[in-house]
Structure formats: C-alpha cells, structure tokens
Amino acid sequence: MAGVLSGVTVIELAGIGPGPFAGMMLADHGARVIRVERPGSGGRFGDGGNRDILNRNRERIELDLKDPASIAQLKDMAKDADALIEGYRPGVIERMGIGPDLLLAINPKLVIGRMTGWGQHGPMAPLAGHDINYIALSGALHSYGRKGQKPTFPVNAVGDFGGGGMMLAFGVVSAILHARSGGPGQVVDCAMVDGAAILSAMTYTFLGNGQWQDERGVNLLDSGTHFYDTYETSDGKFISLGSIEPQFYALLMEKTGLAGDGDFAQQMNPAKWDDLKARMTALILTKTRDDWCAIMDGTDICFAPVLSLKEAPTHPHNVARSTFVEDGGMIQPAPAPRFSATPAPAPNLAGR
C-alpha cells in the first residue's frame, strides 16, 4: 500500500521541531517528501548521524541555498511539486530568492507552508522564540499547572507539535485539495501562537460561559477536582483518573470503597474538592500501581496507569494496536491516524 497521500510531492527545507513533524505526518501517509539539507549536514540519517524519528520516510538532497545554481535547482523542483514547507523567520526565503511570489509565478498551484512561532506578521513576527513562549502568549500555558503553583509546560507538545506541525500538515493538505479542485496555490501562514490558541478553544468556551475560573488548578479539567487527576501509588508510580460522568464516578466510588460516603457523594461541589482530593491521595497511596490496575482495569471508571516512555510500548493495548513500531533499532510511534483502505507504509528511518 502506498498511503493515502500517494501522488503528493512536498519539498521540505530542513529545519528542526514542528516543520519536520509536519513533514513526517505527510511522509508517513505516502507523500513524497524531499528534504533539502545543507551540504555536509547529512550522515546516513540526514541529521548529523543521529536517528531522528521526525525525519523518517524522506528522500534527501543537499543544496547550498546561498548558491545561485542550487536555487535554480530548487526552483526547477518546485515546478512539479504540490507544496513546499519551510520553518525560517519571516522574510528569509524572500532574501534567498525563493519567496512566495516567485514560486507561485513558477507554479501557480504550489502550496507554500510557512512554519513560525509568531506568524508572518505582527509586532513579534521577527523575534526569536520557542514553544514555551508561544503557548504563553496564547493563554494556554496559564491554564497548565496546579493550584497556587507556577505554570507547568507540557514538554513541547502544544506549541511545536500540536499547534505547529500538526496544524501545518492540516493546512498544507487542505490547500493542496483546494488547488486540485481548481483553486490557486497559496501561502499557509502557520504560527504556533495561533495553533496553541485554537487548541484551547474548549477552555475559552468554558471561560466565556462562566464555567472556568481564570486560575490554575481549580477547574474541572486542570487538576482542580479529586476525580480528574493523577495520583501516586505506594510504589512511587502513578495512576490517572477521569471519572467525570455520574455513572463513571459511581464506579470509582465502588472500586475504591467510598460508595455511601456523604462527602464523596458531593462530586460537583467545588468547596469539597480540596478535602476530597487529600483523602483520595491518601487512599491511592495505600496500594501499588499494579494493585490499582487489578481493581480498575476493564471497567468504565476512566482509568489508566501512567506509563513511562519505556513502559508504554509494551502495554497490551498498545501491542494489540501496534501503536509503536521498531525501525533502525529505535522504538517509535507508528503513523497515525489509520486509514482502512490505504494504510500507511511502515516507517523507515533511513528514508526511501
């Protein structure tokens, strides 16, 4: 099987983080992604010899984009490509002589995906930044963390990958579909600050409807409650609980031996949450993670053990679904999502 994006050709100007993640998403599902790297940066894996999962499934070429001959070669490649993606600061590809106006003149159907932190315009557009800064400005970071404590950033999942690379992949595919339906090629301005904001749409919904306090750790989904949180077990490991709905909460009460407790019966009373969390914390600490798995696995409590990066690939559910695969001696997430008629090809760290 060639993948759902078979027949799509994308030129990727090499970068790090969200741009390569978008390239990986496209390549995983069958697009021909040609990664353009600086001369001498290669090695077997095109990343200085390191095995980078984000760079899998690529074709690779080396071009010196300061050299007019290499620029001419890139322009020639763009004539037959569906898209070009890049992750430089605004204005950089224009100075290289491969700006959007020039590329669209060469190929009017070309989609140009531009991945930045702050976007192509705005007072902060030319400035440096990282995931933590983009999610801070979007309002998202303010909501991550515990009551009375400083914001806790979720590694770089929300800015770089969810709000950046995933949005770029979506935007590029959408614009390619539009071009193939008779529309023009165009620029996709993908800013991580915009992506982090759109990922917070539900939180802004709650806030706008008066159902969310603009404060960390006091709300339904931000560790404010006793029934939607992580808890340490007696062996120093952790479990997760998400028993929001009444029927799931009733099961939690049953399996923890708390059914009939008058205080715990007041599930949605915020005035009780701190005390109930303290009691739940003490209760979960009385057993190991495996003990709680034996009690709660296979139920509708909305429960899962908190697995480490090394543990997750061996969990029976992940094994059954082949959620993780191995290539080049590295365990890595398998392509997602899944397509019934055109499954993704097996990942290949060494390229195609």
Side-chain angles (χ1 to χ4, degrees):
M1 293 291 182
V4 73
L5 293 178
S6 178
V8 170
T9 299
V10 178
I11 301 167
E12 173 193 355
L13 303 187
I16 60 172
F21 182 79
M24 183 195 77
M25 291 292 296
L26 299 169
D28 276 358
H29 294 290
R32 180 190 181 197
V33 179
I34 306 167
R35 183 173 164 88
V36 178
E37 300 170 344
R38 296 191 189 100
S41 65
R44 180 184 171 198
F45 295 98
D47 46 23
N50 293 314
R51 297 171 296 166
D52 190 339
I53 293 167
L54 299 182
N55 291 341
R56 68 191 183 190
N57 297 334
R58 307 290 210 282
E59 295 178 31
R60 296 183 173 92
I61 64 170
E62 294 186 352
L63 292 178
D64 180 359
L65 297 182
K66 296 179 180 179
D67 174 24
S70 291
I71 290 294
Q73 184 177 344
L74 185 68
K75 290 177 181 177
D76 192 57
M77 292 167 57
K79 291 178 184 178
D80 299 316
D82 293 286
L84 178 145
I85 60 175
E86 57 96 359
Y88 301 126
R89 294 196 204 190
V92 170
I93 63 170
E94 286 85 348
R95 292 193 293 274
M96 288 178 174
I98 49 172
D101 290 346
L102 191 151
L103 291 175
L104 286 168
I106 294 170
N107 179 357
K109 293 291 187 179
L110 187 68
V111 172
I112 302 159
R114 310 194 72 174
M115 180 77 262
T116 60
W118 306 116
Q120 294 298 312
H121 69 274
M124 299 182 71
L127 304 179
H130 276 297
D131 174 290
I132 191 171
N133 312 121
Y134 312 135
I135 67 174
L137 204 72
S138 74
L141 180 55
H142 175 76
S143 64
Y144 306 151
R146 296 194 173 273
K147 183 179 180 179
Q149 298 183 20
K150 66 179 184 178
T152 301
F153 49 94
V155 198
N156 57 342
V158 173
D160 281 350
F161 299 117
M166 194 80 72
M167 292 293 177
L168 180 60
F170 168 75
V172 165
V173 170
S174 298
I176 290 172
L177 286 173
H178 181 68
R180 289 189 172 186
S181 298
Q186 60 185 303
V187 173
V188 179
D189 178 359
C190 184
M192 285 177 262
V193 65
D194 298 347
I198 199 71
L199 289 175
S200 305
M202 187 178 72
T203 310
Y204 277 104
T205 292
F206 290 151
L207 181 68
N209 286 307
Q211 298 166 330
W212 191 273
Q213 297 184 58
D214 200 12
E215 178 185 346
R216 280 181 300 285
V218 298
N219 297 288
L220 182 67
L221 301 176
D222 66 354
S223 79
T225 76
H226 58 288
F227 52 85
Y228 198 95
D229 205 348
T230 58
Y231 288 94
E232 187 174 3
T233 55
S234 64
D235 52 351
K237 299 179 180 180
F238 292 86
I239 63 168
S240 67
L241 298 175
S243 312
I244 299 175
E245 292 81 358
Q247 67 273 29
F248 305 151
Y249 186 74
L251 275 174
L252 175 65
M253 295 296 96
E254 175 189 334
K255 295 296 184 180
T256 53
L258 294 168
D261 186 297
D263 289 331
F264 276 96
Q266 301 180 61
Q267 178 190 3
M268 292 298 179
N269 181 356
K272 291 284 187 179
W273 285 349
D274 284 348
D275 289 341
L276 296 180
K277 179 167 288 190
R279 290 182 58 188
M280 185 67 77
T281 297
L283 175 61
I284 300 300
L285 270 171
T286 64
K287 299 181 186 297
T288 67
R289 189 182 69 181
D290 285 348
D291 290 337
W292 287 115
C293 286
I295 293 169
M296 297 186 180
D297 270 348
T299 74
D300 276 345
I301 284 175
C302 301
F303 161 87
V306 177
L307 301 180
S308 73
L309 295 176
K310 291 183 178 179
E311 290 175 318
T314 66
H315 188 277
H317 184 79
N318 293 333
V319 171
R321 289 185 55 79
S322 299
T323 299
F324 295 89
V325 295
E326 182 177 347
D327 179 65
M330 287 188 72
I331 298 294
Q332 54 198 281
R338 303 179 188 210
F339 296 87
S340 61
T342 51
N348 185 348
L349 274 179
R352 288 181 172 162

